[in-house]
Amino acid sequence: MTTSPNSRDDAWVLEATIQTARAADSQWQEQLDRLRTIASYDPETQTWCARLGALDLAGVQMLQTLFDVARVYGTEVCLTPVAVPAYWDGPAFTRGPDVAALLEAQADRDRRLGQLPLA
């Protein structure tokens, strides 16, 4: 289920973090050319990032591209549900109780046992 771009409460997107695989020059360039169509590069982390808010045609094509580059080039792809970023103006998935619990656990990942959340 997806929500409209204006509804941020109880919404999430699927974030793909992509680590390119080492390859010969021609394969390296092919890999980058495929990723550029669906993701943006973060030079600080040296990873690519893509977000998906709906399983529409564009979303399915993005997932297929991720699976293809992983299969062909050995690219590492990690999919994680995340809260909708403030700048996101696309569709978002509706947050069910299981996803809400996962998002809360990920937000608390660096909090030590017994330490209360700040907000």
Side-chain angles (χ1 to χ4, degrees):
M1 180 174 240
T2 59
T3 63
S4 71
N6 298 327
S7 176
R8 299 228 179 260
D9 295 339
D10 298 326
W12 60 281
V13 293
L14 191 61
E15 182 176 78
T17 304
I18 306 136
Q19 181 69 48
T20 54
R22 300 203 182 277
D25 287 342
S26 62
Q27 284 193 327
W28 173 256
Q29 197 57 49
E30 289 172 14
Q31 180 181 200
L32 296 184
D33 290 344
R34 296 201 57 190
L35 288 173
R36 279 189 190 105
T37 65
I38 61 163
S40 58
Y41 184 71
D42 180 3
E44 189 174 308
T45 62
Q46 297 184 351
T47 59
W48 293 80
C49 182
R51 289 181 183 84
L52 173 68
L55 286 177
D56 55 6
L57 179 59
V60 170
Q61 288 173 333
M62 183 189 92
L63 287 173
Q64 187 62 57
T65 299
L66 290 173
F67 293 137
D68 289 346
V69 295
R71 179 182 45 82
V72 173
Y73 306 105
T75 306
E76 182 180 317
V77 178
C78 179
L79 300 175
T80 308
V82 297
V84 176
Y87 59 84
W88 183 259
D89 63 354
F93 294 106
T94 301
R95 188 186 302 190
D98 294 339
V99 175
L102 177 62
L103 291 174
E104 276 186 43
Q106 288 177 342
D108 286 343
R109 184 176 292 161
D110 295 327
R111 188 163 49 104
R112 293 192 310 227
L113 184 62
Q115 183 183 21
L116 297 175
L118 298 176

mmCIF file with all atom_site columns, all heavy atoms in Angstrom, residues 51-77:
data_model
loop_
_atom_site.group_PDB
_atom_site.id
_atom_site.type_symbol
_atom_site.label_atom_id
_atom_site.label_alt_id
_atom_site.label_comp_id
_atom_site.label_asym_id
_atom_site.label_entity_id
_atom_site.label_seq_id
_atom_site.pdbx_PDB_ins_code
_atom_site.Cartn_x
_atom_site.Cartn_y
_atom_site.Cartn_z
_atom_site.occupancy
_atom_site.B_iso_or_equiv
_atom_site.pdbx_formal_charge
_atom_site.auth_seq_id
_atom_site.auth_comp_id
_atom_site.auth_asym_id
_atom_site.auth_atom_id
_atom_site.pdbx_PDB_model_num
ATOM 1   N N   . ARG A 1 51 ? 16.132 5.160   -3.680  1.00 0.00 ? 51 ARG A N   1
ATOM 2   C CA  . ARG A 1 51 ? 14.973 4.992   -2.810  1.00 0.00 ? 51 ARG A CA  1
ATOM 3   C C   . ARG A 1 51 ? 13.755 4.628   -3.645  1.00 0.00 ? 51 ARG A C   1
ATOM 4   O O   . ARG A 1 51 ? 13.591 5.099   -4.755  1.00 0.00 ? 51 ARG A O   1
ATOM 5   C CB  . ARG A 1 51 ? 14.721 6.264   -2.016  1.00 0.00 ? 51 ARG A CB  1
ATOM 6   C CG  . ARG A 1 51 ? 15.784 6.470   -0.962  1.00 0.00 ? 51 ARG A CG  1
ATOM 7   C CD  . ARG A 1 51 ? 15.548 7.709   -0.126  1.00 0.00 ? 51 ARG A CD  1
ATOM 8   N NE  . ARG A 1 51 ? 16.650 7.870   0.804   1.00 0.00 ? 51 ARG A NE  1
ATOM 9   C CZ  . ARG A 1 51 ? 17.802 8.468   0.495   1.00 0.00 ? 51 ARG A CZ  1
ATOM 10  N NH1 . ARG A 1 51 ? 17.999 8.939   -0.706  1.00 0.00 ? 51 ARG A NH1 1
ATOM 11  N NH2 . ARG A 1 51 ? 18.758 8.568   1.394   1.00 0.00 ? 51 ARG A NH2 1
ATOM 12  N N   . LEU A 1 52 ? 12.901 3.807   -3.047  1.00 0.00 ? 52 LEU A N   1
ATOM 13  C CA  . LEU A 1 52 ? 11.714 3.293   -3.716  1.00 0.00 ? 52 LEU A CA  1
ATOM 14  C C   . LEU A 1 52 ? 10.526 3.479   -2.786  1.00 0.00 ? 52 LEU A C   1
ATOM 15  O O   . LEU A 1 52 ? 10.583 3.050   -1.632  1.00 0.00 ? 52 LEU A O   1
ATOM 16  C CB  . LEU A 1 52 ? 11.930 1.806   -4.030  1.00 0.00 ? 52 LEU A CB  1
ATOM 17  C CG  . LEU A 1 52 ? 10.774 1.011   -4.585  1.00 0.00 ? 52 LEU A CG  1
ATOM 18  C CD1 . LEU A 1 52 ? 10.449 1.480   -5.989  1.00 0.00 ? 52 LEU A CD1 1
ATOM 19  C CD2 . LEU A 1 52 ? 11.108 -0.456  -4.596  1.00 0.00 ? 52 LEU A CD2 1
ATOM 20  N N   . GLY A 1 53 ? 9.463  4.124   -3.290  1.00 0.00 ? 53 GLY A N   1
ATOM 21  C CA  . GLY A 1 53 ? 8.288  4.360   -2.467  1.00 0.00 ? 53 GLY A CA  1
ATOM 22  C C   . GLY A 1 53 ? 7.033  3.676   -2.972  1.00 0.00 ? 53 GLY A C   1
ATOM 23  O O   . GLY A 1 53 ? 5.986  3.793   -2.354  1.00 0.00 ? 53 GLY A O   1
ATOM 24  N N   . ALA A 1 54 ? 7.139  2.979   -4.096  1.00 0.00 ? 54 ALA A N   1
ATOM 25  C CA  . ALA A 1 54 ? 5.971  2.268   -4.641  1.00 0.00 ? 54 ALA A CA  1
ATOM 26  C C   . ALA A 1 54 ? 6.445  1.138   -5.540  1.00 0.00 ? 54 ALA A C   1
ATOM 27  O O   . ALA A 1 54 ? 7.490  1.240   -6.172  1.00 0.00 ? 54 ALA A O   1
ATOM 28  C CB  . ALA A 1 54 ? 5.088  3.228   -5.438  1.00 0.00 ? 54 ALA A CB  1
ATOM 29  N N   . LEU A 1 55 ? 5.679  0.086   -5.582  1.00 0.00 ? 55 LEU A N   1
ATOM 30  C CA  . LEU A 1 55 ? 5.985  -1.020  -6.495  1.00 0.00 ? 55 LEU A CA  1
ATOM 31  C C   . LEU A 1 55 ? 5.203  -0.837  -7.789  1.00 0.00 ? 55 LEU A C   1
ATOM 32  O O   . LEU A 1 55 ? 4.445  -1.707  -8.214  1.00 0.00 ? 55 LEU A O   1
ATOM 33  C CB  . LEU A 1 55 ? 5.681  -2.364  -5.841  1.00 0.00 ? 55 LEU A CB  1
ATOM 34  C CG  . LEU A 1 55 ? 6.690  -2.782  -4.781  1.00 0.00 ? 55 LEU A CG  1
ATOM 35  C CD1 . LEU A 1 55 ? 6.276  -4.089  -4.125  1.00 0.00 ? 55 LEU A CD1 1
ATOM 36  C CD2 . LEU A 1 55 ? 8.077  -2.921  -5.385  1.00 0.00 ? 55 LEU A CD2 1
ATOM 37  N N   . ASP A 1 56 ? 5.406  0.318   -8.401  1.00 0.00 ? 56 ASP A N   1
ATOM 38  C CA  . ASP A 1 56 ? 4.844  0.592   -9.708  1.00 0.00 ? 56 ASP A CA  1
ATOM 39  C C   . ASP A 1 56 ? 5.851  0.162   -10.769 1.00 0.00 ? 56 ASP A C   1
ATOM 40  O O   . ASP A 1 56 ? 6.866  -0.460  -10.446 1.00 0.00 ? 56 ASP A O   1
ATOM 41  C CB  . ASP A 1 56 ? 4.474  2.070   -9.831  1.00 0.00 ? 56 ASP A CB  1
ATOM 42  C CG  . ASP A 1 56 ? 5.651  2.997   -9.524  1.00 0.00 ? 56 ASP A CG  1
ATOM 43  O OD1 . ASP A 1 56 ? 6.790  2.504   -9.324  1.00 0.00 ? 56 ASP A OD1 1
ATOM 44  O OD2 . ASP A 1 56 ? 5.437  4.213   -9.477  1.00 0.00 ? 56 ASP A OD2 1
ATOM 45  N N   . LEU A 1 57 ? 5.608  0.499   -12.025 1.00 0.00 ? 57 LEU A N   1
ATOM 46  C CA  . LEU A 1 57 ? 6.509  0.077   -13.097 1.00 0.00 ? 57 LEU A CA  1
ATOM 47  C C   . LEU A 1 57 ? 7.931  0.596   -12.869 1.00 0.00 ? 57 LEU A C   1
ATOM 48  O O   . LEU A 1 57 ? 8.899  -0.159  -12.990 1.00 0.00 ? 57 LEU A O   1
ATOM 49  C CB  . LEU A 1 57 ? 5.982  0.558   -14.454 1.00 0.00 ? 57 LEU A CB  1
ATOM 50  C CG  . LEU A 1 57 ? 6.851  0.209   -15.665 1.00 0.00 ? 57 LEU A CG  1
ATOM 51  C CD1 . LEU A 1 57 ? 7.022  -1.304  -15.794 1.00 0.00 ? 57 LEU A CD1 1
ATOM 52  C CD2 . LEU A 1 57 ? 6.264  0.804   -16.929 1.00 0.00 ? 57 LEU A CD2 1
ATOM 53  N N   . ALA A 1 58 ? 8.075  1.862   -12.496 1.00 0.00 ? 58 ALA A N   1
ATOM 54  C CA  . ALA A 1 58 ? 9.407  2.425   -12.251 1.00 0.00 ? 58 ALA A CA  1
ATOM 55  C C   . ALA A 1 58 ? 10.102 1.722   -11.084 1.00 0.00 ? 58 ALA A C   1
ATOM 56  O O   . ALA A 1 58 ? 11.301 1.447   -11.139 1.00 0.00 ? 58 ALA A O   1
ATOM 57  C CB  . ALA A 1 58 ? 9.303  3.922   -11.988 1.00 0.00 ? 58 ALA A CB  1
ATOM 58  N N   . GLY A 1 59 ? 9.354  1.410   -10.041 1.00 0.00 ? 59 GLY A N   1
ATOM 59  C CA  . GLY A 1 59 ? 9.930  0.725   -8.884  1.00 0.00 ? 59 GLY A CA  1
ATOM 60  C C   . GLY A 1 59 ? 10.388 -0.688  -9.216  1.00 0.00 ? 59 GLY A C   1
ATOM 61  O O   . GLY A 1 59 ? 11.466 -1.114  -8.801  1.00 0.00 ? 59 GLY A O   1
ATOM 62  N N   . VAL A 1 60 ? 9.586  -1.402  -9.970  1.00 0.00 ? 60 VAL A N   1
ATOM 63  C CA  . VAL A 1 60 ? 9.952  -2.761  -10.370 1.00 0.00 ? 60 VAL A CA  1
ATOM 64  C C   . VAL A 1 60 ? 11.172 -2.726  -11.296 1.00 0.00 ? 60 VAL A C   1
ATOM 65  O O   . VAL A 1 60 ? 12.079 -3.548  -11.172 1.00 0.00 ? 60 VAL A O   1
ATOM 66  C CB  . VAL A 1 60 ? 8.756  -3.481  -11.034 1.00 0.00 ? 60 VAL A CB  1
ATOM 67  C CG1 . VAL A 1 60 ? 9.183  -4.790  -11.666 1.00 0.00 ? 60 VAL A CG1 1
ATOM 68  C CG2 . VAL A 1 60 ? 7.649  -3.713  -10.010 1.00 0.00 ? 60 VAL A CG2 1
ATOM 69  N N   . GLN A 1 61 ? 11.225 -1.743  -12.195 1.00 0.00 ? 61 GLN A N   1
ATOM 70  C CA  . GLN A 1 61 ? 12.388 -1.613  -13.078 1.00 0.00 ? 61 GLN A CA  1
ATOM 71  C C   . GLN A 1 61 ? 13.651 -1.294  -12.283 1.00 0.00 ? 61 GLN A C   1
ATOM 72  O O   . GLN A 1 61 ? 14.718 -1.819  -12.583 1.00 0.00 ? 61 GLN A O   1
ATOM 73  C CB  . GLN A 1 61 ? 12.135 -0.532  -14.137 1.00 0.00 ? 61 GLN A CB  1
ATOM 74  C CG  . GLN A 1 61 ? 11.136 -0.962  -15.176 1.00 0.00 ? 61 GLN A CG  1
ATOM 75  C CD  . GLN A 1 61 ? 10.750 0.158   -16.119 1.00 0.00 ? 61 GLN A CD  1
ATOM 76  O OE1 . GLN A 1 61 ? 10.803 1.339   -15.787 1.00 0.00 ? 61 GLN A OE1 1
ATOM 77  N NE2 . GLN A 1 61 ? 10.334 -0.215  -17.329 1.00 0.00 ? 61 GLN A NE2 1
ATOM 78  N N   . MET A 1 62 ? 13.534 -0.458  -11.244 1.00 0.00 ? 62 MET A N   1
ATOM 79  C CA  . MET A 1 62 ? 14.682 -0.153  -10.404 1.00 0.00 ? 62 MET A CA  1
ATOM 80  C C   . MET A 1 62 ? 15.180 -1.420  -9.695  1.00 0.00 ? 62 MET A C   1
ATOM 81  O O   . MET A 1 62 ? 16.375 -1.705  -9.681  1.00 0.00 ? 62 MET A O   1
ATOM 82  C CB  . MET A 1 62 ? 14.342 0.906   -9.363  1.00 0.00 ? 62 MET A CB  1
ATOM 83  C CG  . MET A 1 62 ? 15.555 1.307   -8.519  1.00 0.00 ? 62 MET A CG  1
ATOM 84  S SD  . MET A 1 62 ? 15.123 2.351   -7.127  1.00 0.00 ? 62 MET A SD  1
ATOM 85  C CE  . MET A 1 62 ? 14.879 1.109   -5.880  1.00 0.00 ? 62 MET A CE  1
ATOM 86  N N   . LEU A 1 63 ? 14.259 -2.166  -9.109  1.00 0.00 ? 63 LEU A N   1
ATOM 87  C CA  . LEU A 1 63 ? 14.649 -3.409  -8.432  1.00 0.00 ? 63 LEU A CA  1
ATOM 88  C C   . LEU A 1 63 ? 15.291 -4.386  -9.409  1.00 0.00 ? 63 LEU A C   1
ATOM 89  O O   . LEU A 1 63 ? 16.294 -5.033  -9.084  1.00 0.00 ? 63 LEU A O   1
ATOM 90  C CB  . LEU A 1 63 ? 13.442 -4.053  -7.754  1.00 0.00 ? 63 LEU A CB  1
ATOM 91  C CG  . LEU A 1 63 ? 12.930 -3.362  -6.503  1.00 0.00 ? 63 LEU A CG  1
ATOM 92  C CD1 . LEU A 1 63 ? 11.636 -4.013  -6.031  1.00 0.00 ? 63 LEU A CD1 1
ATOM 93  C CD2 . LEU A 1 63 ? 13.975 -3.376  -5.400  1.00 0.00 ? 63 LEU A CD2 1
ATOM 94  N N   . GLN A 1 64 ? 14.738 -4.484  -10.613 1.00 0.00 ? 64 GLN A N   1
ATOM 95  C CA  . GLN A 1 64 ? 15.310 -5.392  -11.610 1.00 0.00 ? 64 GLN A CA  1
ATOM 96  C C   . GLN A 1 64 ? 16.727 -4.968  -11.969 1.00 0.00 ? 64 GLN A C   1
ATOM 97  O O   . GLN A 1 64 ? 17.619 -5.812  -12.098 1.00 0.00 ? 64 GLN A O   1
ATOM 98  C CB  . GLN A 1 64 ? 14.437 -5.449  -12.865 1.00 0.00 ? 64 GLN A CB  1
ATOM 99  C CG  . GLN A 1 64 ? 14.898 -6.499  -13.859 1.00 0.00 ? 64 GLN A CG  1
ATOM 100 C CD  . GLN A 1 64 ? 14.839 -7.901  -13.269 1.00 0.00 ? 64 GLN A CD  1
ATOM 101 O OE1 . GLN A 1 64 ? 13.794 -8.337  -12.823 1.00 0.00 ? 64 GLN A OE1 1
ATOM 102 N NE2 . GLN A 1 64 ? 15.957 -8.606  -13.260 1.00 0.00 ? 64 GLN A NE2 1
ATOM 103 N N   . THR A 1 65 ? 16.963 -3.667  -12.121 1.00 0.00 ? 65 THR A N   1
ATOM 104 C CA  . THR A 1 65 ? 18.312 -3.177  -12.410 1.00 0.00 ? 65 THR A CA  1
ATOM 105 C C   . THR A 1 65 ? 19.260 -3.524  -11.277 1.00 0.00 ? 65 THR A C   1
ATOM 106 O O   . THR A 1 65 ? 20.395 -3.966  -11.506 1.00 0.00 ? 65 THR A O   1
ATOM 107 C CB  . THR A 1 65 ? 18.296 -1.651  -12.654 1.00 0.00 ? 65 THR A CB  1
ATOM 108 O OG1 . THR A 1 65 ? 17.453 -1.376  -13.778 1.00 0.00 ? 65 THR A OG1 1
ATOM 109 C CG2 . THR A 1 65 ? 19.691 -1.118  -12.917 1.00 0.00 ? 65 THR A CG2 1
ATOM 110 N N   . LEU A 1 66 ? 18.820 -3.358  -10.026 1.00 0.00 ? 66 LEU A N   1
ATOM 111 C CA  . LEU A 1 66 ? 19.666 -3.711  -8.869  1.00 0.00 ? 66 LEU A CA  1
ATOM 112 C C   . LEU A 1 66 ? 20.009 -5.191  -8.875  1.00 0.00 ? 66 LEU A C   1
ATOM 113 O O   . LEU A 1 66 ? 21.159 -5.577  -8.646  1.00 0.00 ? 66 LEU A O   1
ATOM 114 C CB  . LEU A 1 66 ? 18.970 -3.328  -7.565  1.00 0.00 ? 66 LEU A CB  1
ATOM 115 C CG  . LEU A 1 66 ? 18.838 -1.840  -7.281  1.00 0.00 ? 66 LEU A CG  1
ATOM 116 C CD1 . LEU A 1 66 ? 17.972 -1.612  -6.050  1.00 0.00 ? 66 LEU A CD1 1
ATOM 117 C CD2 . LEU A 1 66 ? 20.202 -1.200  -7.115  1.00 0.00 ? 66 LEU A CD2 1
ATOM 118 N N   . PHE A 1 67 ? 19.011 -6.036  -9.125  1.00 0.00 ? 67 PHE A N   1
ATOM 119 C CA  . PHE A 1 67 ? 19.265 -7.480  -9.169  1.00 0.00 ? 67 PHE A CA  1
ATOM 120 C C   . PHE A 1 67 ? 20.201 -7.842  -10.325 1.00 0.00 ? 67 PHE A C   1
ATOM 121 O O   . PHE A 1 67 ? 21.077 -8.692  -10.178 1.00 0.00 ? 67 PHE A O   1
ATOM 122 C CB  . PHE A 1 67 ? 17.958 -8.269  -9.284  1.00 0.00 ? 67 PHE A CB  1
ATOM 123 C CG  . PHE A 1 67 ? 17.087 -8.175  -8.067  1.00 0.00 ? 67 PHE A CG  1
ATOM 124 C CD1 . PHE A 1 67 ? 15.722 -7.994  -8.196  1.00 0.00 ? 67 PHE A CD1 1
ATOM 125 C CD2 . PHE A 1 67 ? 17.617 -8.263  -6.789  1.00 0.00 ? 67 PHE A CD2 1
ATOM 126 C CE1 . PHE A 1 67 ? 14.909 -7.908  -7.075  1.00 0.00 ? 67 PHE A CE1 1
ATOM 127 C CE2 . PHE A 1 67 ? 16.815 -8.175  -5.663  1.00 0.00 ? 67 PHE A CE2 1
ATOM 128 C CZ  . PHE A 1 67 ? 15.461 -7.996  -5.801  1.00 0.00 ? 67 PHE A CZ  1
ATOM 129 N N   . ASP A 1 68 ? 20.011 -7.174  -11.455 1.00 0.00 ? 68 ASP A N   1
ATOM 130 C CA  . ASP A 1 68 ? 20.864 -7.451  -12.615 1.00 0.00 ? 68 ASP A CA  1
ATOM 131 C C   . ASP A 1 68 ? 22.318 -7.074  -12.359 1.00 0.00 ? 68 ASP A C   1
ATOM 132 O O   . ASP A 1 68 ? 23.224 -7.845  -12.676 1.00 0.00 ? 68 ASP A O   1
ATOM 133 C CB  . ASP A 1 68 ? 20.350 -6.715  -13.854 1.00 0.00 ? 68 ASP A CB  1
ATOM 134 C CG  . ASP A 1 68 ? 19.059 -7.299  -14.406 1.00 0.00 ? 68 ASP A CG  1
ATOM 135 O OD1 . ASP A 1 68 ? 18.688 -8.430  -13.999 1.00 0.00 ? 68 ASP A OD1 1
ATOM 136 O OD2 . ASP A 1 68 ? 18.407 -6.618  -15.228 1.00 0.00 ? 68 ASP A OD2 1
ATOM 137 N N   . VAL A 1 69 ? 22.572 -5.887  -11.794 1.00 0.00 ? 69 VAL A N   1
ATOM 138 C CA  . VAL A 1 69 ? 23.973 -5.504  -11.554 1.00 0.00 ? 69 VAL A CA  1
ATOM 139 C C   . VAL A 1 69 ? 24.601 -6.383  -10.476 1.00 0.00 ? 69 VAL A C   1
ATOM 140 O O   . VAL A 1 69 ? 25.797 -6.681  -10.530 1.00 0.00 ? 69 VAL A O   1
ATOM 141 C CB  . VAL A 1 69 ? 24.154 -4.004  -11.218 1.00 0.00 ? 69 VAL A CB  1
ATOM 142 C CG1 . VAL A 1 69 ? 23.776 -3.127  -12.382 1.00 0.00 ? 69 VAL A CG1 1
ATOM 143 C CG2 . VAL A 1 69 ? 23.425 -3.601  -9.968  1.00 0.00 ? 69 VAL A CG2 1
ATOM 144 N N   . ALA A 1 70 ? 23.800 -6.836  -9.528  1.00 0.00 ? 70 ALA A N   1
ATOM 145 C CA  . ALA A 1 70 ? 24.329 -7.752  -8.509  1.00 0.00 ? 70 ALA A CA  1
ATOM 146 C C   . ALA A 1 70 ? 24.709 -9.088  -9.151  1.00 0.00 ? 70 ALA A C   1
ATOM 147 O O   . ALA A 1 70 ? 25.770 -9.651  -8.856  1.00 0.00 ? 70 ALA A O   1
ATOM 148 C CB  . ALA A 1 70 ? 23.304 -7.963  -7.404  1.00 0.00 ? 70 ALA A CB  1
ATOM 149 N N   . ARG A 1 71 ? 23.859 -9.585  -10.040 1.00 0.00 ? 71 ARG A N   1
ATOM 150 C CA  . ARG A 1 71 ? 24.116 -10.870 -10.681 1.00 0.00 ? 71 ARG A CA  1
ATOM 151 C C   . ARG A 1 71 ? 25.276 -10.787 -11.666 1.00 0.00 ? 71 ARG A C   1
ATOM 152 O O   . ARG A 1 71 ? 26.176 -11.615 -11.656 1.00 0.00 ? 71 ARG A O   1
ATOM 153 C CB  . ARG A 1 71 ? 22.846 -11.353 -11.396 1.00 0.00 ? 71 ARG A CB  1
ATOM 154 C CG  . ARG A 1 71 ? 22.983 -12.670 -12.129 1.00 0.00 ? 71 ARG A CG  1
ATOM 155 C CD  . ARG A 1 71 ? 21.702 -13.071 -12.849 1.00 0.00 ? 71 ARG A CD  1
ATOM 156 N NE  . ARG A 1 71 ? 21.050 -12.014 -13.588 1.00 0.00 ? 71 ARG A NE  1
ATOM 157 C CZ  . ARG A 1 71 ? 21.402 -11.620 -14.807 1.00 0.00 ? 71 ARG A CZ  1
ATOM 158 N NH1 . ARG A 1 71 ? 22.413 -12.194 -15.428 1.00 0.00 ? 71 ARG A NH1 1
ATOM 159 N NH2 . ARG A 1 71 ? 20.748 -10.639 -15.414 1.00 0.00 ? 71 ARG A NH2 1
ATOM 160 N N   . VAL A 1 72 ? 25.292 -9.755  -12.496 1.00 0.00 ? 72 VAL A N   1
ATOM 161 C CA  . VAL A 1 72 ? 26.280 -9.659  -13.563 1.00 0.00 ? 72 VAL A CA  1
ATOM 162 C C   . VAL A 1 72 ? 27.654 -9.229  -13.051 1.00 0.00 ? 72 VAL A C   1
ATOM 163 O O   . VAL A 1 72 ? 28.679 -9.784  -13.442 1.00 0.00 ? 72 VAL A O   1
ATOM 164 C CB  . VAL A 1 72 ? 25.800 -8.685  -14.665 1.00 0.00 ? 72 VAL A CB  1
ATOM 165 C CG1 . VAL A 1 72 ? 26.880 -8.430  -15.703 1.00 0.00 ? 72 VAL A CG1 1
ATOM 166 C CG2 . VAL A 1 72 ? 24.543 -9.230  -15.329 1.00 0.00 ? 72 VAL A CG2 1
ATOM 167 N N   . TYR A 1 73 ? 27.687 -8.237  -12.154 1.00 0.00 ? 73 TYR A N   1
ATOM 168 C CA  . TYR A 1 73 ? 28.968 -7.648  -11.739 1.00 0.00 ? 73 TYR A CA  1
ATOM 169 C C   . TYR A 1 73 ? 29.376 -7.995  -10.310 1.00 0.00 ? 73 TYR A C   1
ATOM 170 O O   . TYR A 1 73 ? 30.489 -7.683  -9.903  1.00 0.00 ? 73 TYR A O   1
ATOM 171 C CB  . TYR A 1 73 ? 28.920 -6.122  -11.881 1.00 0.00 ? 73 TYR A CB  1
ATOM 172 C CG  . TYR A 1 73 ? 28.512 -5.684  -13.260 1.00 0.00 ? 73 TYR A CG  1
ATOM 173 C CD1 . TYR A 1 73 ? 27.244 -5.174  -13.510 1.00 0.00 ? 73 TYR A CD1 1
ATOM 174 C CD2 . TYR A 1 73 ? 29.388 -5.787  -14.327 1.00 0.00 ? 73 TYR A CD2 1
ATOM 175 C CE1 . TYR A 1 73 ? 26.859 -4.779  -14.774 1.00 0.00 ? 73 TYR A CE1 1
ATOM 176 C CE2 . TYR A 1 73 ? 29.023 -5.404  -15.607 1.00 0.00 ? 73 TYR A CE2 1
ATOM 177 C CZ  . TYR A 1 73 ? 27.754 -4.896  -15.822 1.00 0.00 ? 73 TYR A CZ  1
ATOM 178 O OH  . TYR A 1 73 ? 27.376 -4.515  -17.074 1.00 0.00 ? 73 TYR A OH  1
ATOM 179 N N   . GLY A 1 74 ? 28.479 -8.597  -9.538  1.00 0.00 ? 74 GLY A N   1
ATOM 180 C CA  . GLY A 1 74 ? 28.801 -8.895  -8.142  1.00 0.00 ? 74 GLY A CA  1
ATOM 181 C C   . GLY A 1 74 ? 28.612 -7.694  -7.235  1.00 0.00 ? 74 GLY A C   1
ATOM 182 O O   . GLY A 1 74 ? 29.133 -7.653  -6.129  1.00 0.00 ? 74 GLY A O   1
ATOM 183 N N   . THR A 1 75 ? 27.849 -6.709  -7.693  1.00 0.00 ? 75 THR A N   1
ATOM 184 C CA  . THR A 1 75 ? 27.559 -5.518  -6.910  1.00 0.00 ? 75 THR A CA  1
ATOM 185 C C   . THR A 1 75 ? 26.814 -5.917  -5.642  1.00 0.00 ? 75 THR A C   1
ATOM 186 O O   . THR A 1 75 ? 25.916 -6.743  -5.678  1.00 0.00 ? 75 THR A O   1
ATOM 187 C CB  . THR A 1 75 ? 26.695 -4.539  -7.741  1.00 0.00 ? 75 THR A CB  1
ATOM 188 O OG1 . THR A 1 75 ? 27.356 -4.299  -8.970  1.00 0.00 ? 75 THR A OG1 1
ATOM 189 C CG2 . THR A 1 75 ? 26.444 -3.245  -7.011  1.00 0.00 ? 75 THR A CG2 1
ATOM 190 N N   . GLU A 1 76 ? 27.191 -5.319  -4.508  1.00 0.00 ? 76 GLU A N   1
ATOM 191 C CA  . GLU A 1 76 ? 26.519 -5.609  -3.236  1.00 0.00 ? 76 GLU A CA  1
ATOM 192 C C   . GLU A 1 76 ? 25.377 -4.626  -3.050  1.00 0.00 ? 76 GLU A C   1
ATOM 193 O O   . GLU A 1 76 ? 25.563 -3.409  -3.131  1.00 0.00 ? 76 GLU A O   1
ATOM 194 C CB  . GLU A 1 76 ? 27.515 -5.462  -2.091  1.00 0.00 ? 76 GLU A CB  1
ATOM 195 C CG  . GLU A 1 76 ? 26.942 -5.790  -0.744  1.00 0.00 ? 76 GLU A CG  1
ATOM 196 C CD  . GLU A 1 76 ? 27.973 -5.617  0.350   1.00 0.00 ? 76 GLU A CD  1
ATOM 197 O OE1 . GLU A 1 76 ? 29.124 -6.039  0.159   1.00 0.00 ? 76 GLU A OE1 1
ATOM 198 O OE2 . GLU A 1 76 ? 27.614 -5.049  1.394   1.00 0.00 ? 76 GLU A OE2 1
ATOM 199 N N   . VAL A 1 77 ? 24.170 -5.153  -2.809  1.00 0.00 ? 77 VAL A N   1
ATOM 200 C CA  . VAL A 1 77 ? 22.983 -4.326  -2.644  1.00 0.00 ? 77 VAL A CA  1
ATOM 201 C C   . VAL A 1 77 ? 22.343 -4.655  -1.305  1.00 0.00 ? 77 VAL A C   1
ATOM 202 O O   . VAL A 1 77 ? 22.087 -5.820  -1.007  1.00 0.00 ? 77 VAL A O   1
ATOM 203 C CB  . VAL A 1 77 ? 21.964 -4.569  -3.786  1.00 0.00 ? 77 VAL A CB  1
ATOM 204 C CG1 . VAL A 1 77 ? 20.704 -3.741  -3.564  1.00 0.00 ? 77 VAL A CG1 1
ATOM 205 C CG2 . VAL A 1 77 ? 22.581 -4.258  -5.139  1.00 0.00 ? 77 VAL A CG2 1
#
